[in-house]
Amino acid sequence: MRGRSFGVVLFCLGATAAFAQPGQPWMNTALSPDSRADILRQQMTRDEELILVDGFLGVAYQPGFHEPIPAWMKPLLPVSAGYVPGIARLGIPALTESDASLGVANGGNMRPGDTAVALPSSLLTTATFSPTLAFEGGAMVGREARAKGFNVMLAGGVNLAREPRGGRTFEYAGEDAWLAGVMVGESIKGIQSQGIISTAKHFALNDQETARTVMSVTIDEAEARESDYLAFELALERGDPGAIMCSYNRIKNVYACENPNLLTDMLRSDWGYKGFVLSDWGAVHSTVAAATAGLDQESANGSDRSDFFGNALRDAIVAGQVPESRLHVMVHRILRTMFAKGLFDRPVVKGPIDVYGDLAVAQRDAEEGIVLLKNAPAKNGSALLPLNATKRQKIAVIGSFADKGVLSGGGSSQVHGIGHTESMVVSLGGGTKVIDGRRWQLPQDKAVLHATAPLAEIRKLAPKAKVTFVSSSAIAAAVAEAKKSDVAIVFAWQYMHEGVDVIDLALPGNQNELIAAVAAANPNTIVILETGGPVTMPWLDRVSGVVEAWYPGNGGAAAIARILFGEVNPSGKLPVTFPMAESQLPHPIITGQRPDGRIIPTSGSPTAYDVIYQEGARAGYRWFDDQKLTPLFPFGYGLSYTTFSYENLKLLGASTIKAEFDVKNTGTVAGKTVAQVYVKPPFGPSRLIGFQKVDLAPGETRHVTLYADQRLIAMFDADANLWRVADGDYVVRLGSSATDKAAVATVHVNAGTVKP
Ligand code: NOJ
């Protein structure tokens, strides 16, 4: 608790319960949020303004914080990531901040009984390719946040998954800017539909965890505009988040949270953003540079080296180093956002959560984002999936924690889901691994499982089957059980955690060996993957089925079982490319990775950890296209229990591209697919320019029309600061993945420019 007295804190905590009064002029809802903020700001003293720009570390995380606080007050304190006191005199509510990438996080200091519904990982939600589901998941988080007394959700992770080994790949929305922008924008919109604020984060280029606090990322400005920055630009336009969180890293040697090019030139001047910029936890390194570059609020000052926006900002204003008018702007942005998003007019009130309603949202999400990657026996024969639920058969469930629950990713986004008990915490990792002659120390982590258990859900759906379970450590026992069974279902995991990247894309431990051994014992082997992102599959040609279930959340086990038995027809598509091997990636080894696999400490020399994206905008499938590499599974890929055709592609080109076509369900069961349109412009690799998920009965045809956002077919001209569309012929591909060519046609587009 640096720079604050408890007297001040207790005064402020009182303010959490204080609501604004209807008679106060700034409570006139007929006025715009900006006018209301102006009126209110003028009532504030400088010290009150300073309170709003200087956040606390979430009180429950603060060592020793609870000691002087009377027992009766403890339950009133938010258990959260961050807290900005309100001002009771003026009825300004406190900002109560919780992480919320995959549900309302309750990781660090769980209160007994404080569970939340765990959504699937954001990557799974993105794999639904359904903006509607992204919105519904967001709205669910927003409802639970209100019920738990939070009014700021630290959500909206939209960093591109350009590094598939990135420890937070599961928290992000894949490798494509358009897909990520649309899906994260919708999720933010959903959260904010509940009258609270959502952030978008981590602005910008914090695409790997290794060295995240010290690395300096270098990328060509124009290429960043066409990739990572574009994802933020689109998410901001679509979701209008109240706040944006600047990231830990440096960009061309300037910390993101004191980077005027990022926080002012691009964010304000080019994009016209009106919300406020808050810092990541520990990402502030200065007072004057940060305040003048565009940081509006220091988060959780207890996690920065010093309290940069407390007394230090007051001193800088008094000394004339930061103009007082800058403080007014910071406060204006915070207040106008609180008005705009509903914090004054619809204060959060604690109450129960709708467990069953919210679980249904999580399960729907999982059912549409789980991806069927393979459904063909090694040797001829018909597809093994879906399994027949009414048959008397022997099913061996093998591996992982299938008898307990499904895996979740770790870090600040951690949710302890509904049904959590101590036995749902399992130890993973540890040990060493030799890669290219170097011995790596693997981090030891405690992973949290979510109820319910796939084993129980499988037994529920197949009452006539004899379903047995063998854990992954016992390969010989698993092989013996597989031999005696009609079908073997192997559950495999890859654990990801904020703060550390995975060393490679291999399934950890003995899992590859286990799968190969089981597949050799029983040709009807199905692998269910619970992974944060892509993994390699050396056993792929020996198994009959592969289902990518990601981290599927509280509804995940039921969703997996329903897909296995055909109650749900899979419709998820990959939002990331699955490489054959790490050698296919732009960075075969993650820049700056240390042999102990741990994050490099903040005190390291910045130049030692330059991360150079020489691949520029060619992240993910664009890289594979550009380098003519064949991946294991391409971006956009995913199978169904039915088949689809894509026909009658008609294109219209002028200033942008309009594509019209028909999608038909040519199989015998109802199903959903995602029609995807890619363009290869005259100057570079392919880009996704539109997608639509369609739900079709057998034999049904749907006509789809898509218009490309002009920026998706343009190049950014950094000198002129505008987008340029080149005159020329553009090759358009329609199909069901980044490499599918169901229909191909060419269209002429006229030269043009677009202002950012
Ligand atoms: C650091 C993480 O990078 C960020 O995503 C999170 O919101 C904060 N910690 C608060 O927990």
Side-chain angles (χ1 to χ4, degrees):
M1 277 272 311
R2 286 189 201 97
R4 287 281 175 82
S5 76
F6 273 110
V8 176
V9 174
L10 292 178
F11 154 75
C12 297
L13 287 171
T16 57
F19 298 143
Q21 300 305 310
Q24 292 164 323
W26 52 90
M27 290 308 291
N28 179 357
T29 52
L31 298 175
S32 71
D34 283 301
S35 306
R36 294 172 73 180
D38 280 340
I39 298 170
L40 176 52
R41 215 247 337 121
Q42 279 159 19
Q43 302 294 316
M44 295 169 71
T45 64
R46 182 196 283 161
D47 280 353
E48 285 170 337
E49 288 193 62
L50 284 165
I51 287 175
L52 284 201
V53 300
D54 191 24
F56 285 102
L57 193 56
V59 286
Y61 291 161
Q62 196 114 18
F65 186 95
H66 279 150
E67 285 20 281
I69 291 184
W72 64 265
M73 192 181 270
K74 289 185 188 178
L76 302 178
L77 297 172
V79 176
S80 68
Y83 180 72
V84 183
I87 296 167
R89 177 180 86 82
L90 300 167
I92 301 176
L95 297 178
T96 47
E97 304 168 333
S98 174
D99 278 290
S101 291
L102 336 154
V104 182
N106 51 7
N109 280 271
M110 254 187 91
R111 280 183 215 289
D114 175 19
T115 50
V117 170
L119 280 179
S121 59
S122 305
L123 199 64
L124 182 152
T125 300
T126 309
T128 67
F129 278 69
S130 165
T132 311
L133 286 174
F135 179 92
E136 283 175 7
M140 183 222 103
V141 168
R143 285 194 300 274
E144 291 203 358
R146 291 188 69 83
K148 287 162 176 280
F150 294 117
N151 57 18
V152 178
M153 292 288 92
L154 308 170
V158 70
N159 298 86
L160 281 196
R162 49 167 76 235
E163 175 44 75
R165 291 156 296 192
R168 302 183 89 172
T169 300
F170 72 97
E171 275 191 68
Y172 298 143
E175 66 194 24
D176 179 74
W178 174 248
L179 177 65
V182 168
M183 297 298 282
V184 173
E186 287 299 319
S187 151
I188 290 169
K189 219 194 266 177
I191 294 175
Q192 296 192 154
S193 70
Q194 302 306 308
I196 60 173
I197 292 172
S198 171
T199 59
K201 67 186 185 183
H202 309 86
F203 195 48
L205 294 162
N206 182 180
D207 302 333
Q208 66 176 51
E209 293 299 278
T210 303
R212 71 174 178 180
T213 54
V214 293
M215 68 180 174
S216 172
V217 178
T218 300
I219 181 172
D220 176 83
E221 178 67 19
E223 303 228 30
R225 287 293 191 118
E226 295 168 22
S227 54
D228 292 67
Y229 294 164
L230 182 58
F232 275 96
E233 186 178 1
L234 294 166
L236 258 50
E237 280 171 15
R238 208 170 174 108
D240 189 22
I244 185 160
M245 184 190 291
C246 52
S247 55
Y248 285 122
N249 54 293
R250 303 169 201 235
I251 297 163
K252 295 189 187 127
N253 282 318
V254 182
Y255 280 114
C257 290
E258 56 186 50
N259 193 315
N261 297 338
L262 196 68
L263 303 185
T264 297
D265 300 346
M266 184 165 68
L267 185 65
R268 305 288 175 188
S269 311
D270 290 353
W271 298 350
Y273 181 64
K274 285 193 157 23
F276 61 100
V277 177
L278 57 81
S279 55
D280 201 343
W281 275 225
V284 185
H285 298 270
S286 62
T287 298
V288 177
T292 49
L295 178 65
D296 299 310
Q297 187 180 69
E298 180 185 15
S299 304
N301 65 53
S303 56
D304 287 321
R305 248 186 313 115
S306 148
D307 182 6
F308 291 107
F309 274 19
N311 295 333
L313 182 57
R314 180 192 291 111
D315 294 347
I317 292 171
V318 171
Q321 294 164 308
V322 174
E324 181 115 37
S325 56
R326 172 66 190 125
L327 177 63
H328 296 335
V329 170
M330 292 152 96
V331 171
H332 175 90
R333 287 175 180 159
I334 296 166
L335 289 176
R336 60 85 43 207
T337 302
M338 293 170 72
F339 283 117
K341 302 303 173 193
L343 273 58
F344 279 88
D345 304 330
R346 220 181 134 190
V348 294
V349 180
K350 286 192 185 177
I353 61 169
D354 171 10
V355 175
Y356 291 105
D358 294 352
L359 279 174
V361 173
Q363 186 172 327
R364 270 201 302 278
D365 193 359
E367 287 176 354
E368 289 211 22
I370 290 175
V371 184
L372 178 62
L373 290 174
K374 180 172 181 190
N375 189 15
K379 304 203 176 70
N380 55 53
S382 60
L384 183 58
L385 294 172
L387 300 173
N388 184 342
T390 57
K391 202 168 131 190
R392 287 191 190 285
Q393 56 188 323
K394 203 163 168 310
I395 300 176
V397 173
I398 295 164
S400 300
F401 342 93
D403 57 333
K404 283 204 174 96
V406 291
L407 189 59
S408 65
S412 56
S413 67
Q414 184 72 65
V415 174
H416 291 87
I418 297 296
H420 181 78
T421 60
E422 267 315 297
S423 68
M424 305 294 273
V425 181
V426 291
S427 286
L428 295 175
T432 59
K433 179 166 191 170
V434 177
I435 305 174
D436 293 340
R438 287 164 80 191
R439 182 169 292 277
W440 297 76
Q441 178 69 46
L442 302 176
Q444 178 82 47
D445 280 306
K446 292 231 180 283
V448 173
L449 304 181
H450 292 318
T452 54
L455 180 63
E457 299 293 337
I458 289 170
R459 285 190 170 138
K460 211 191 289 174
L461 287 195
K464 290 193 178 146
K466 182 163 187 306
V467 185
T468 54
F469 177 71
V470 188
S471 84
S472 22
S473 49
I475 295 189
V479 166
E481 200 56 42
K483 271 193 185 139
K484 289 190 280 180
S485 303
D486 300 298
V487 179
I489 305 176
V490 187
F491 284 79
W493 58 269
Q494 172 221 40
Y495 183 52
M496 279 190 165
H497 191 292
E498 176 186 340
V500 59
D501 299 321
V502 294
I503 285 169
D504 57 23
L505 297 176
L507 289 173
N510 66 359
Q511 298 184 94
N512 282 335
E513 207 187 318
L514 170 77
I515 296 168
V518 170
N522 188 329
N524 292 337
T525 293
I526 298 158
V527 178
I528 312 283
L529 296 167
E530 292 173 24
T531 68
V535 286
T536 47
M537 304 179 203
W539 33 259
L540 183 61
D541 58 357
R542 281 167 274 160
V543 302
S544 292
V546 181
V547 176
E548 176 53 85
W550 315 106
Y551 299 147
N554 261 149
I560 291 169
R562 294 189 61 187
I563 284 173
L564 286 174
F565 291 101
E567 283 195 7
V568 168
N569 189 349
S571 64
K573 307 285 167 190
L574 295 181
V576 278
T577 305
F578 277 44
M580 297 257 197
E582 294 78 1
S583 56
Q584 289 187 318
L585 297 171
H587 303 266
I589 291 183
I590 298 178
T591 317
Q593 198 159 45
R594 271 190 352 188
D596 63 2
R598 277 281 165 208
I599 188 165
I600 292 164
T602 339
S603 52
S605 145
T607 48
Y609 305 114
D610 273 342
V611 173
I612 300 169
Y613 291 145
Q614 82 282 356
E615 68 275 23
R618 291 165 300 159
Y621 67 87
R622 294 188 190 185
W623 173 257
F624 279 73
D625 186 40
D626 188 64
Q627 302 288 305
K628 303 199 172 21
L629 294 166
T630 304
L632 188 62
F633 293 108
F635 175 89
Y637 181 83
L639 300 171
S640 162
Y641 297 148
T642 187
T643 47
F644 300 92
S645 69
Y646 301 86
E647 282 158 11
N648 304 325
L649 174 63
K650 284 195 200 68
L651 301 173
L652 193 66
S655 55
T656 185
I657 297 171
K658 176 186 173 197
E660 280 188 75
F661 51 88
D662 294 321
V663 188
K664 183 174 181 187
N665 181 343
T666 51
T668 52
V669 289
K672 296 178 185 173
T673 192
V674 179
Q676 302 162 44
V677 180
Y678 296 84
V679 70
K680 195 166 180 70
F683 49 81
S686 299
R687 299 152 170 217
L688 176 71
I689 57 164
F691 64 88
Q692 185 152 321
K693 193 156 197 174
V694 279
D695 186 1
L696 297 169
E700 190 184 350
T701 300
R702 180 81 39 83
H703 189 71
V704 176
T705 306
L706 296 172
Y707 293 86
D709 183 300
Q710 260 183 307
R711 289 166 292 190
L712 300 178
I713 58 165
M715 274 183 299
F716 194 77
D717 178 341
D719 296 329
N721 201 36
L722 47 76
W723 296 89
R724 287 191 194 283
V725 178
D727 184 87
D729 290 336
Y730 290 63
V731 181
V732 174
R733 268 191 297 106
L734 164 67
S736 59
S737 78
T739 55
D740 187 22
K741 295 189 175 115
V744 183
T746 300
V747 66
H748 189 85
V749 178
N750 302 329
T753 55
V754 191
K755 283 241 176 279

PDB file of all heavy atoms in Angstrom, residues 61 81-82 99 101 154 168 171 201-202 206 209 212 245 248 280-281 412-413 498, ligand 1:
ATOM      1  N   TYR A  61      -5.510  -9.370  -2.971  1.00  0.00           N
ATOM      2  CA  TYR A  61      -4.174  -9.819  -3.343  1.00  0.00           C
ATOM      3  C   TYR A  61      -3.094  -9.083  -2.561  1.00  0.00           C
ATOM      4  O   TYR A  61      -1.944  -9.435  -2.607  1.00  0.00           O
ATOM      5  CB  TYR A  61      -3.907  -9.542  -4.822  1.00  0.00           C
ATOM      6  CG  TYR A  61      -4.698 -10.363  -5.783  1.00  0.00           C
ATOM      7  CD1 TYR A  61      -4.840  -9.948  -7.085  1.00  0.00           C
ATOM      8  CD2 TYR A  61      -5.292 -11.560  -5.400  1.00  0.00           C
ATOM      9  CE1 TYR A  61      -5.559 -10.695  -8.001  1.00  0.00           C
ATOM     10  CE2 TYR A  61      -6.016 -12.305  -6.302  1.00  0.00           C
ATOM     11  CZ  TYR A  61      -6.144 -11.869  -7.602  1.00  0.00           C
ATOM     12  OH  TYR A  61      -6.855 -12.613  -8.499  1.00  0.00           O
ATOM     13  N   ALA A  81      -8.879  -8.279  -9.232  1.00  0.00           N
ATOM     14  CA  ALA A  81      -7.563  -7.916  -9.734  1.00  0.00           C
ATOM     15  C   ALA A  81      -7.230  -6.471  -9.405  1.00  0.00           C
ATOM     16  O   ALA A  81      -6.083  -6.130  -9.172  1.00  0.00           O
ATOM     17  CB  ALA A  81      -7.525  -8.122 -11.241  1.00  0.00           C
ATOM     18  N   GLY A  82      -8.228  -5.598  -9.415  1.00  0.00           N
ATOM     19  CA  GLY A  82      -7.933  -4.194  -9.231  1.00  0.00           C
ATOM     20  C   GLY A  82      -9.122  -3.410  -8.706  1.00  0.00           C
ATOM     21  O   GLY A  82     -10.277  -3.849  -8.788  1.00  0.00           O
ATOM     22  N   ASP A  99     -10.616  -9.939 -13.690  1.00  0.00           N
ATOM     23  CA  ASP A  99     -10.273 -10.551 -14.971  1.00  0.00           C
ATOM     24  C   ASP A  99     -11.479 -11.321 -15.479  1.00  0.00           C
ATOM     25  O   ASP A  99     -12.326 -11.770 -14.697  1.00  0.00           O
ATOM     26  CB  ASP A  99      -9.070 -11.480 -14.805  1.00  0.00           C
ATOM     27  CG  ASP A  99      -7.791 -10.678 -14.845  1.00  0.00           C
ATOM     28  OD1 ASP A  99      -7.467 -10.195 -15.934  1.00  0.00           O
ATOM     29  OD2 ASP A  99      -7.155 -10.501 -13.791  1.00  0.00           O
ATOM     30  N   SER A 101     -11.435 -13.150 -19.044  1.00  0.00           N
ATOM     31  CA  SER A 101     -11.272 -13.665 -20.404  1.00  0.00           C
ATOM     32  C   SER A 101     -12.189 -14.845 -20.677  1.00  0.00           C
ATOM     33  O   SER A 101     -12.652 -15.047 -21.785  1.00  0.00           O
ATOM     34  CB  SER A 101      -9.828 -14.100 -20.632  1.00  0.00           C
ATOM     35  OG  SER A 101      -8.994 -12.989 -20.660  1.00  0.00           O
ATOM     36  N   LEU A 154     -11.757  -7.104 -17.097  1.00  0.00           N
ATOM     37  CA  LEU A 154     -10.467  -7.077 -17.793  1.00  0.00           C
ATOM     38  C   LEU A 154     -10.490  -8.203 -18.822  1.00  0.00           C
ATOM     39  O   LEU A 154      -9.928  -9.272 -18.628  1.00  0.00           O
ATOM     40  CB  LEU A 154      -9.331  -7.244 -16.789  1.00  0.00           C
ATOM     41  CG  LEU A 154      -9.401  -6.257 -15.606  1.00  0.00           C
ATOM     42  CD1 LEU A 154      -8.391  -6.618 -14.529  1.00  0.00           C
ATOM     43  CD2 LEU A 154      -9.186  -4.817 -16.080  1.00  0.00           C
ATOM     44  N   ARG A 168      -0.547 -17.595 -23.657  1.00  0.00           N
ATOM     45  CA  ARG A 168      -1.923 -17.109 -23.549  1.00  0.00           C
ATOM     46  C   ARG A 168      -2.700 -17.302 -24.847  1.00  0.00           C
ATOM     47  O   ARG A 168      -3.747 -16.676 -25.030  1.00  0.00           O
ATOM     48  CB  ARG A 168      -1.925 -15.629 -23.142  1.00  0.00           C
ATOM     49  CG  ARG A 168      -1.214 -15.395 -21.841  1.00  0.00           C
ATOM     50  CD  ARG A 168      -1.273 -13.947 -21.410  1.00  0.00           C
ATOM     51  NE  ARG A 168      -2.445 -13.682 -20.601  1.00  0.00           N
ATOM     52  CZ  ARG A 168      -2.651 -12.522 -19.965  1.00  0.00           C
ATOM     53  NH1 ARG A 168      -1.777 -11.546 -20.077  1.00  0.00           N
ATOM     54  NH2 ARG A 168      -3.736 -12.340 -19.239  1.00  0.00           N
ATOM     55  N   GLU A 171      -6.225 -17.599 -24.423  1.00  0.00           N
ATOM     56  CA  GLU A 171      -6.996 -16.418 -24.014  1.00  0.00           C
ATOM     57  C   GLU A 171      -7.287 -15.494 -25.187  1.00  0.00           C
ATOM     58  O   GLU A 171      -7.978 -14.499 -25.021  1.00  0.00           O
ATOM     59  CB  GLU A 171      -6.201 -15.611 -22.987  1.00  0.00           C
ATOM     60  CG  GLU A 171      -6.332 -16.043 -21.566  1.00  0.00           C
ATOM     61  CD  GLU A 171      -5.709 -15.006 -20.642  1.00  0.00           C
ATOM     62  OE1 GLU A 171      -6.249 -13.897 -20.529  1.00  0.00           O
ATOM     63  OE2 GLU A 171      -4.662 -15.314 -20.056  1.00  0.00           O
ATOM     64  N   LYS A 201      -7.522  -5.791 -24.640  1.00  0.00           N
ATOM     65  CA  LYS A 201      -6.140  -5.876 -24.164  1.00  0.00           C
ATOM     66  C   LYS A 201      -5.352  -6.841 -25.019  1.00  0.00           C
ATOM     67  O   LYS A 201      -5.958  -7.593 -25.776  1.00  0.00           O
ATOM     68  CB  LYS A 201      -6.115  -6.291 -22.689  1.00  0.00           C
ATOM     69  CG  LYS A 201      -6.608  -7.727 -22.404  1.00  0.00           C
ATOM     70  CD  LYS A 201      -6.669  -7.984 -20.902  1.00  0.00           C
ATOM     71  CE  LYS A 201      -7.044  -9.424 -20.622  1.00  0.00           C
ATOM     72  NZ  LYS A 201      -7.177  -9.710 -19.182  1.00  0.00           N
ATOM     73  N   HIS A 202      -4.052  -6.921 -24.975  1.00  0.00           N
ATOM     74  CA  HIS A 202      -3.062  -6.091 -24.303  1.00  0.00           C
ATOM     75  C   HIS A 202      -2.411  -5.288 -25.404  1.00  0.00           C
ATOM     76  O   HIS A 202      -1.737  -5.865 -26.265  1.00  0.00           O
ATOM     77  CB  HIS A 202      -2.030  -6.946 -23.589  1.00  0.00           C
ATOM     78  CG  HIS A 202      -2.663  -7.987 -22.707  1.00  0.00           C
ATOM     79  ND1 HIS A 202      -3.059  -9.227 -23.148  1.00  0.00           N
ATOM     80  CD2 HIS A 202      -2.995  -7.958 -21.376  1.00  0.00           C
ATOM     81  CE1 HIS A 202      -3.581  -9.926 -22.157  1.00  0.00           C
ATOM     82  NE2 HIS A 202      -3.563  -9.188 -21.069  1.00  0.00           N
ATOM     83  N   ASN A 206       1.926  -7.755 -27.573  1.00  0.00           N
ATOM     84  CA  ASN A 206       2.340  -8.670 -26.493  1.00  0.00           C
ATOM     85  C   ASN A 206       1.863 -10.074 -26.889  1.00  0.00           C
ATOM     86  O   ASN A 206       0.967 -10.627 -26.284  1.00  0.00           O
ATOM     87  CB  ASN A 206       1.703  -8.206 -25.176  1.00  0.00           C
ATOM     88  CG  ASN A 206       2.107  -9.059 -23.977  1.00  0.00           C
ATOM     89  OD1 ASN A 206       1.661  -8.776 -22.864  1.00  0.00           O
ATOM     90  ND2 ASN A 206       2.903 -10.081 -24.169  1.00  0.00           N
ATOM     91  N   GLU A 209       4.692 -14.689 -24.131  1.00  0.00           N
ATOM     92  CA  GLU A 209       4.901 -14.469 -22.710  1.00  0.00           C
ATOM     93  C   GLU A 209       6.382 -14.376 -22.375  1.00  0.00           C
ATOM     94  O   GLU A 209       6.770 -13.654 -21.470  1.00  0.00           O
ATOM     95  CB  GLU A 209       4.245 -15.601 -21.910  1.00  0.00           C
ATOM     96  CG  GLU A 209       2.735 -15.592 -22.025  1.00  0.00           C
ATOM     97  CD  GLU A 209       2.144 -14.305 -21.502  1.00  0.00           C
ATOM     98  OE1 GLU A 209       1.967 -14.164 -20.279  1.00  0.00           O
ATOM     99  OE2 GLU A 209       1.869 -13.410 -22.344  1.00  0.00           O
ATOM    100  N   ARG A 212       8.001 -11.004 -21.655  1.00  0.00           N
ATOM    101  CA  ARG A 212       6.937 -10.044 -21.984  1.00  0.00           C
ATOM    102  C   ARG A 212       7.139  -8.677 -21.348  1.00  0.00           C
ATOM    103  O   ARG A 212       6.681  -7.672 -21.882  1.00  0.00           O
ATOM    104  CB  ARG A 212       5.558 -10.596 -21.600  1.00  0.00           C
ATOM    105  CG  ARG A 212       5.278 -10.674 -20.101  1.00  0.00           C
ATOM    106  CD  ARG A 212       3.835 -11.105 -19.822  1.00  0.00           C
ATOM    107  NE  ARG A 212       3.605 -11.215 -18.387  1.00  0.00           N
ATOM    108  CZ  ARG A 212       2.465 -11.562 -17.834  1.00  0.00           C
ATOM    109  NH1 ARG A 212       1.418 -11.836 -18.591  1.00  0.00           N
ATOM    110  NH2 ARG A 212       2.333 -11.632 -16.525  1.00  0.00           N
ATOM    111  N   MET A 245      -6.307  -1.719 -22.350  1.00  0.00           N
ATOM    112  CA  MET A 245      -5.180  -1.960 -21.438  1.00  0.00           C
ATOM    113  C   MET A 245      -3.884  -1.971 -22.231  1.00  0.00           C
ATOM    114  O   MET A 245      -3.720  -2.776 -23.145  1.00  0.00           O
ATOM    115  CB  MET A 245      -5.370  -3.313 -20.739  1.00  0.00           C
ATOM    116  CG  MET A 245      -4.314  -3.628 -19.695  1.00  0.00           C
ATOM    117  SD  MET A 245      -4.409  -5.359 -19.111  1.00  0.00           S
ATOM    118  CE  MET A 245      -5.930  -5.365 -18.207  1.00  0.00           C
ATOM    119  N   TYR A 248       2.682  -4.917 -21.384  1.00  0.00           N
ATOM    120  CA  TYR A 248       3.954  -4.905 -20.663  1.00  0.00           C
ATOM    121  C   TYR A 248       5.153  -4.504 -21.521  1.00  0.00           C
ATOM    122  O   TYR A 248       6.087  -3.878 -21.064  1.00  0.00           O
ATOM    123  CB  TYR A 248       4.249  -6.317 -20.141  1.00  0.00           C
ATOM    124  CG  TYR A 248       3.433  -6.734 -18.952  1.00  0.00           C
ATOM    125  CD1 TYR A 248       2.637  -7.869 -18.990  1.00  0.00           C
ATOM    126  CD2 TYR A 248       3.483  -5.998 -17.771  1.00  0.00           C
ATOM    127  CE1 TYR A 248       1.902  -8.262 -17.883  1.00  0.00           C
ATOM    128  CE2 TYR A 248       2.754  -6.388 -16.666  1.00  0.00           C
ATOM    129  CZ  TYR A 248       1.964  -7.520 -16.723  1.00  0.00           C
ATOM    130  OH  TYR A 248       1.244  -7.896 -15.626  1.00  0.00           O
ATOM    131  N   ASP A 280      -1.510  -2.414 -17.837  1.00  0.00           N
ATOM    132  CA  ASP A 280      -1.454  -3.773 -17.305  1.00  0.00           C
ATOM    133  C   ASP A 280      -0.748  -3.705 -15.946  1.00  0.00           C
ATOM    134  O   ASP A 280      -0.082  -2.715 -15.614  1.00  0.00           O
ATOM    135  CB  ASP A 280      -0.715  -4.716 -18.276  1.00  0.00           C
ATOM    136  CG  ASP A 280      -1.080  -6.189 -18.022  1.00  0.00           C
ATOM    137  OD1 ASP A 280      -1.619  -6.493 -16.934  1.00  0.00           O
ATOM    138  OD2 ASP A 280      -0.822  -7.038 -18.895  1.00  0.00           O
ATOM    139  N   TRP A 281      -0.882  -4.771 -15.196  1.00  0.00           N
ATOM    140  CA  TRP A 281      -0.441  -4.800 -13.792  1.00  0.00           C
ATOM    141  C   TRP A 281       1.094  -4.857 -13.700  1.00  0.00           C
ATOM    142  O   TRP A 281       1.702  -5.902 -13.901  1.00  0.00           O
ATOM    143  CB  TRP A 281      -1.073  -6.003 -13.107  1.00  0.00           C
ATOM    144  CG  TRP A 281      -2.455  -5.792 -12.555  1.00  0.00           C
ATOM    145  CD1 TRP A 281      -2.887  -6.194 -11.316  1.00  0.00           C
ATOM    146  CD2 TRP A 281      -3.587  -5.150 -13.159  1.00  0.00           C
ATOM    147  NE1 TRP A 281      -4.204  -5.833 -11.127  1.00  0.00           N
ATOM    148  CE2 TRP A 281      -4.652  -5.193 -12.239  1.00  0.00           C
ATOM    149  CE3 TRP A 281      -3.801  -4.505 -14.383  1.00  0.00           C
ATOM    150  CZ2 TRP A 281      -5.911  -4.644 -12.506  1.00  0.00           C
ATOM    151  CZ3 TRP A 281      -5.057  -3.951 -14.652  1.00  0.00           C
ATOM    152  CH2 TRP A 281      -6.076  -4.027 -13.725  1.00  0.00           C
ATOM    153  N   SER A 412      -4.001 -15.158 -14.698  1.00  0.00           N
ATOM    154  CA  SER A 412      -4.963 -14.217 -14.110  1.00  0.00           C
ATOM    155  C   SER A 412      -6.393 -14.479 -14.573  1.00  0.00           C
ATOM    156  O   SER A 412      -7.346 -14.081 -13.914  1.00  0.00           O
ATOM    157  CB  SER A 412      -4.556 -12.785 -14.459  1.00  0.00           C
ATOM    158  OG  SER A 412      -4.451 -12.628 -15.855  1.00  0.00           O
ATOM    159  N   SER A 413      -6.556 -15.163 -15.701  1.00  0.00           N
ATOM    160  CA  SER A 413      -7.912 -15.415 -16.198  1.00  0.00           C
ATOM    161  C   SER A 413      -8.561 -16.624 -15.517  1.00  0.00           C
ATOM    162  O   SER A 413      -9.701 -16.966 -15.826  1.00  0.00           O
ATOM    163  CB  SER A 413      -7.867 -15.686 -17.709  1.00  0.00           C
ATOM    164  OG  SER A 413      -7.201 -16.915 -17.965  1.00  0.00           O
ATOM    165  N   GLU A 498      -0.486 -18.288 -18.326  1.00  0.00           N
ATOM    166  CA  GLU A 498       0.045 -16.940 -18.495  1.00  0.00           C
ATOM    167  C   GLU A 498       1.444 -16.856 -17.875  1.00  0.00           C
ATOM    168  O   GLU A 498       1.702 -17.451 -16.839  1.00  0.00           O
ATOM    169  CB  GLU A 498      -0.884 -15.955 -17.775  1.00  0.00           C
ATOM    170  CG  GLU A 498      -0.375 -14.535 -17.815  1.00  0.00           C
ATOM    171  CD  GLU A 498      -1.235 -13.594 -16.983  1.00  0.00           C
ATOM    172  OE1 GLU A 498      -2.397 -13.922 -16.682  1.00  0.00           O
ATOM    173  OE2 GLU A 498      -0.726 -12.517 -16.619  1.00  0.00           O
TER     174      GLU A 498
HETATM  175  C1  NOJ B   1      -1.739  -9.209 -15.923  1.00  0.00           C
HETATM  176  C2  NOJ B   1      -2.399  -9.691 -17.189  1.00  0.00           C
HETATM  177  O1  NOJ B   1      -1.514  -9.504 -18.275  1.00  0.00           O
HETATM  178  C3  NOJ B   1      -3.712  -8.986 -17.495  1.00  0.00           C
HETATM  179  O2  NOJ B   1      -4.329  -9.617 -18.578  1.00  0.00           O
HETATM  180  C4  NOJ B   1      -4.600  -9.008 -16.298  1.00  0.00           C
HETATM  181  O3  NOJ B   1      -5.818  -8.360 -16.597  1.00  0.00           O
HETATM  182  C5  NOJ B   1      -3.899  -8.357 -15.111  1.00  0.00           C
HETATM  183  N1  NOJ B   1      -2.670  -9.077 -14.828  1.00  0.00           N
HETATM  184  C6  NOJ B   1      -4.766  -8.342 -13.860  1.00  0.00           C
HETATM  185  O4  NOJ B   1      -4.914  -9.597 -13.356  1.00  0.00           O
END
